[in-house]
Amino acid sequence: MRVYLEVGAKKVFACAEDWPGWCRAGRTEDAAIEALLSYADRYRAVAPSVVVDDVVVTDRLAGNATTDFGAPGIVPPCDDAALPGSWVEVLEASWRALDAVAESAPAVLRKGPRGGGRDRDAVVQHVVSAECSYARQIGVRHREPSDRDAVAALRADIASALRAGPEVAKWPPRYFVRRAAWHVLDHVWEIEDRST
């Protein structure tokens, strides 16, 4: 299993090179890889065919302030390759997972270790807001959606642009899918964990 590492001063992200959105952080390289592997079963909800075998670290990228803030922020060289169609399917499965968890989770989520954290609707709106911002990186422009129909239209336009090959791409399409799927799944798992 090919994994690249994004190494910041405070955090390290381990990202499965061939599986968009499957990316977890830790304080050290080993901790990040361990966290990544511990999420394999959860990741299979959006990519059932994922196989975990021997981990091979293919690259170490210097992280930045985004890395240390808690999000992967460096475009890996492997994302210069063509976008596999199956990756768009993983992104769409991630969106469905978010919709499903938002439907079933309580409106008020358990607070984090320091007593903070957004509640369900605020988490979902944060994800949608980020998607709207990310979409500009592949030439898709929408106002921030405020209802389900507008969210569906944004997502449909993103998927269509990715499948057609974006005319404008500030981010490589592979990186767009990797980053967008990671952000959606990170918050799906947050809602799941804070619903108990």
Side-chain angles (χ1 to χ4, degrees), residues 96-108:
R96 288 191 299 274
L98 178 64
D99 294 344
V101 77
E103 186 71 29
S104 64
V108 176

Side-chain angles (χ1 to χ4, degrees), residues 87-100:
W87 279 38
V88 180
E89 293 170 12
V90 171
L91 178 58
E92 291 171 323
S94 300
W95 288 331
R96 288 191 299 274
L98 178 64
D99 294 344

Side-chain angles (χ1 to χ4, degrees), residues 40-104:
D41 287 338
R42 293 177 93 170
Y43 185 74
R44 282 188 185 97
V46 297
S49 62
V50 72
V51 174
V52 178
D53 51 18
D54 293 336
V55 171
V56 176
V57 175
T58 58
D59 212 344
R60 284 177 175 81
L61 310 174
N64 59 19
T66 301
T67 312
D68 287 329
F69 179 73
I74 304 298
V75 178
C78 60
D79 283 352
D80 288 335
L83 176 67
S86 60
W87 279 38
V88 180
E89 293 170 12
V90 171
L91 178 58
E92 291 171 323
S94 300
W95 288 331
R96 288 191 299 274
L98 178 64
D99 294 344
V101 77
E103 186 71 29
S104 64

